[in-house]
Amino acid sequence: MSRSTPQDPRAARTRARLRAALLAECAERPLAEVGVAALVRRAGVGRATFYVHYDGLEALAVDACADVVREGVSALHSWTGRPDPVHAPPALAEFFASLAPHAELYRTLLTPGGGGPLGKLLHLDLRAYSLRERERAGAADAPLVATAVAATFAGVLADWLHGLLAGDAAAIADQVWQLLVALHASR
């Protein structure tokens, strides 16, 4: 968990350096093998500075991967007009394809079924976005469908990353899209 003020530009730059260093470290080895000493050396900051911003490596990893969550939520809502019930918006397939470079890190933080610290963040962000959209549309079932959408997407994403679901990025995007369209169509 980041403990500094988000408005402080120096803190933002430090967190950005730490996130970039973590992603570089995780490109070379699993998160479990990354040490704080190597990380801070790579980021060019002191160990104490690391702990000013984060409680530990997992908190930094979740923060570093939070943009992926935002990209996923944006990709799900990238269509305009009436959604195609069969084919996902291109942004959703692009989102799934973009996960490859850091897939091992995402698998560490997103457990099968959509759990783990990144799964929790994804679920909360997607549920909040979906709830706002459903309430704006006046849907009586807004909380239920928002929860179902968030759980479905997080679960499919996690299971696909863990190899429990077959298909390339475009195929899995279309499959999860069809599930989500069906959930939104329910009354």
Side-chain angles (χ1 to χ4, degrees), residues 72 75-77 79 83-85 88-89 92 96 126 130 134 145-154 156 172-186:
L76 280 173
H77 296 91
W79 53 274
D84 179 336
L92 189 57
F96 277 96
L126 186 50
S130 186
R134 299 288 294 174
V145 172
T147 295
V149 164
T152 298
F153 185 74
V156 168
I172 202 69
D174 284 346
Q175 291 168 0
V176 76
W177 180 253
Q178 291 164 18
L179 289 171
L180 298 176
V181 167
L183 285 170
H184 277 284
S186 66

Side-chain angles (χ1 to χ4, degrees), residues 9 15 37 45 60 74 77 82 88 105 110 114 137-138 148 171 181 184 187:
R15 285 191 307 274
V45 301
L60 169 59
S74 293
H77 296 91
R82 187 172 178 90
L105 178 58
L110 185 63
V181 167
H184 277 284
R187 296 264 177 228

Side-chain angles (χ1 to χ4, degrees), residues 108-134:
T108 300
L109 301 170
L110 185 63
T111 59
L118 193 58
K120 180 179 179 180
L121 180 63
L122 176 59
H123 183 88
L124 292 173
D125 282 5
L126 186 50
R127 186 183 186 284
Y129 193 107
S130 186
L131 183 61
R132 279 192 308 274
E133 293 298 310
R134 299 288 294 174

Side-chain angles (χ1 to χ4, degrees), residues 13-30:
R13 283 191 301 272
T14 299
R15 285 191 307 274
R17 288 171 60 189
L18 287 165
R19 288 189 303 265
L22 179 86
L23 292 174
E25 287 288 320
C26 287
E28 299 170 4
R29 65 188 56 79

